[in-house]
Amino acid sequence: MTAAVAVALLAAAARRLTGSASAAAAAALLTGTAPVWWRRAVSAEVFAGAALFAAASIWLIARVRDGELSPGRGLPLAGLLAGVGLAQQPVLLLMFPGLALMAGGALRRAVPYMAIGLALYLILPIRAATDPRMNWGAPATAAAWRDHVLRREFGTASFSPAAAEPFTPRLAARQAGAYAASLSDAYTPVGVAIGLAGAAAWWRRERWLAAGAVIAALGSGLGFLLLARVSPEPDRWVVLEKHLMASLVPAGLLVAFGLASLAR
């Protein structure tokens, strides 16, 4: 259900941004049936929730762009949802620079509300103190809470210290190839080409929004892989790829623009 709502919000945002209901629906359908999306949609993990909060934030930004919501109302709510999403799945942090560009100069209105969303972390010590059955990291003390929030168990700025490799151009090239293959698997090679054409078409119309969508997609997709520094071997890719689900939200916008430009 969470992934289905995310697809619906993606379709709504794409319709507003492209002006084409059919292109928006087609892009949302392609996204919702992408293998990585579908696998995560039917599993009890956090990745569908991250995609939902990303889609909701972009939908609100689109409504502000259309004038349906004022920046003073829409962007704080987008910031709140983005903060809640980040509290659930840290990979969304890599999407924020792109969302900031899409939000434009009024981003400062969203930042305090993003902090409110992140305040969900404050619940963890209270819950941990009750010794629940599920108590990952046992963050009942200030030190344990800090380590949990900063992902010290896995490495704050890495995916897994045990699996991470030294950064080399060869590793980066392999990760870029794996990311390209994942996009091709999601949208087919033709769909990827349409998305690239959509980025160019959107750039000619609204440069900041187009640049923001591209940066959001690449940051939370390829950026995550580069930061993880884990070789995309088949046994590891199964774990890595599911973190790319949210990146399909801004990627889906680019596909929608490509389809809309082809229909004109």
Side-chain angles (χ1 to χ4, degrees):
M1 179 61 73
T2 301
V5 176
V7 167
L9 289 173
L10 169 60
R15 181 182 60 80
R16 289 179 176 277
L17 293 169
T18 65
S20 172
S22 58
L29 180 62
L30 285 171
T31 301
T33 55
V36 62
W37 188 284
W38 189 259
R39 286 192 290 267
R40 303 282 70 78
V42 297
S43 60
E45 296 187 83
V46 300
F47 305 103
L52 172 62
F53 287 116
S57 298
I58 291 174
W59 174 67
L60 287 167
I61 291 172
R63 293 183 68 190
V64 170
R65 175 258 202 187
D66 274 359
E68 184 174 324
L69 282 177
S70 68
R73 294 184 61 188
L75 293 182
L77 184 54
L80 176 65
L81 293 177
V84 172
L86 179 58
Q88 182 195 34
Q89 178 60 21
V91 74
L92 286 186
L93 182 63
L94 302 175
M95 193 180 289
F96 285 175
L99 295 182
L101 276 179
M102 296 184 75
L107 178 67
R108 63 186 181 277
R109 299 180 180 178
V111 172
Y113 292 87
M114 189 182 300
I116 294 174
L118 282 169
L120 286 175
Y121 277 121
L122 298 177
I123 298 174
L124 295 179
I126 299 173
R127 184 176 181 276
T130 65
D131 194 25
R133 176 177 294 183
M134 299 290 290
N135 194 21
W136 185 18
T141 67
W145 177 84
R146 177 203 61 207
D147 292 345
H148 183 74
V149 171
L150 295 178
R151 299 180 69 254
R152 292 283 176 82
E153 179 182 356
F154 302 101
T156 300
S158 68
F159 177 71
S160 172
E165 301 178 13
F167 182 83
T168 63
R170 182 175 181 274
L171 176 61
R174 293 187 64 198
Q175 291 169 323
Y179 176 65
S182 178
L183 285 178
S184 181
D185 189 41
Y187 294 108
T188 76
V190 174
V192 173
I194 289 173
L196 293 173
W202 199 1
W203 173 263
R204 290 192 291 270
R205 286 179 49 186
E206 297 172 302
R207 292 190 173 186
W208 289 113
L209 282 170
V214 170
I215 292 171
L218 288 178
S220 55
L222 179 58
F224 164 75
L225 295 176
L226 294 174
L227 188 63
R229 293 184 291 115
V230 175
S231 179
E233 304 296 341
D235 58 331
R236 294 176 176 178
W237 184 249
V238 172
V239 179
L240 289 170
E241 189 184 37
K242 56 189 177 182
H243 290 79
L244 305 182
M245 181 180 183
S247 72
L248 295 187
V249 174
L253 289 180
L254 301 176
V255 173
F257 258 94
L259 292 172
S261 64
L262 288 175
R264 292 191 180 98

